[in-house]
């Protein structure tokens, strides 16, 4: 990694918490419509899918999903310490987002939405939103752990205290 990239990464990771949360929301504003588009592309087997009836889903997906993610606390998670519990939260959020979109399609009686899009959207939302968090976590450790001298430590003992110490280290 070049020196400029290293400095930019450090500047990003040193931003105030609110700014990092805003960046996550903006990223989701792009990732959720991407999940809709990719679902159509996979379903129809075309990189330029015909989305005549589904174009509104590109706007509706973030409008429905981001408030759900806020309520579930997905933006409160500290990315550098994200773990399996956050993946469950992402899965829960993706499921609720998918159900909200299905309910909206059913209530508005909109034709032309493939049923398989529901499952594709859920999976792609989980992969894109969850994957983006884990990618940032990986990148954080790549930037900061690579440049830091680390020393191996053995934790002797078992139980909750040992697990907490290992997690903190």
């Amino acid at each position: 990694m070049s020196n400029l990239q290293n400095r930019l990464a450090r500047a990003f990771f040193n931003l105030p918490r609110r700014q990092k949360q805003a960046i996550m929301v903006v990223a989701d504003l792009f990732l959720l419509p991407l999940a809709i588009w990719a679902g159509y592309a996979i379903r129809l087997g075309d990189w330029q899918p015909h989305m005549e009836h589904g174009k509104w889903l590109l706007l509706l997906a973030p409008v429905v999903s981001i408030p759900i993610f806020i309520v579930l606390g997905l933006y409160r998670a500290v990315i550098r310490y994200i773990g399996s519990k956050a993946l469950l939260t992402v899965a829960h959020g993706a499921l609720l987002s998918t159900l909200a979109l299905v309910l909206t399609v059913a209530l508005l009686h909109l034709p032309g939405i493939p049923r398989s899009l529901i499952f594709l959207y859920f999976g792609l939302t989980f992969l894109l939103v969850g994957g983006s968090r884990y990618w940032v976590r990986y990148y954080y450790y790549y930037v900061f752990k690579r440049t830091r001298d680390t020393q191996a430590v053995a934790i002797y003992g078992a139980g909750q205290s040992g697990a907490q110490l290992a997690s903190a280290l």
Side-chain angles (χ1 to χ4, degrees):
M1 182 186 307
S2 74
N3 193 22
L4 176 63
Q5 287 175 325
N6 198 353
R7 285 191 313 218
L8 287 174
R10 287 180 184 279
F12 170 76
F13 288 118
N14 290 326
L15 287 174
R17 183 175 173 87
R18 290 282 182 205
Q19 287 180 353
K20 288 187 255 186
Q21 288 172 333
I23 290 171
M24 286 194 306
V25 170
V26 169
D28 288 348
L29 283 171
F30 289 101
L31 293 175
L32 293 165
L34 178 62
I36 294 287
W37 174 84
Y40 265 99
I42 291 169
R43 166 63 176 88
L44 301 175
D46 188 5
W47 286 109
Q48 296 176 342
H50 182 66
M51 297 177 56
E52 181 178 323
H53 297 290
K55 287 183 181 178
W56 61 273
L57 287 174
L58 295 171
L59 297 173
L60 188 63
V63 169
V64 167
S65 302
I66 289 179
I68 291 171
F69 291 168
I70 290 170
V71 169
L72 292 175
L74 195 57
Y75 299 114
R76 286 192 309 255
V78 179
I79 297 297
R80 72 179 76 159
Y81 303 118
I82 199 167
S84 59
K85 184 179 177 188
L87 272 184
L88 289 174
T89 304
V90 171
H92 192 220
L95 179 64
L96 290 176
S97 168
T98 303
L99 292 175
L101 286 176
V102 168
L103 184 63
T104 305
V105 168
L107 289 175
L108 297 176
H109 303 290
L110 297 170
I113 307 296
R115 288 185 302 265
S116 58
L117 181 65
I118 296 164
F119 302 104
L120 290 168
Y121 173 75
F122 169 75
L124 290 166
T125 299
F126 177 74
L127 286 174
L128 291 172
V129 172
S132 67
R133 269 69 172 167
Y134 271 90
W135 181 83
V136 171
R137 178 180 186 244
Y138 171 79
Y139 191 70
Y140 171 81
Y141 281 103
Y142 176 77
V143 168
F144 287 98
K145 296 295 184 181
R146 189 175 63 93
T147 59
R148 194 183 293 171
D149 291 330
T150 58
Q151 184 176 3
V153 175
I155 300 172
Y156 181 75
Q160 186 68 18
S161 299
Q164 287 177 343
L165 179 60
S167 177
L169 291 175

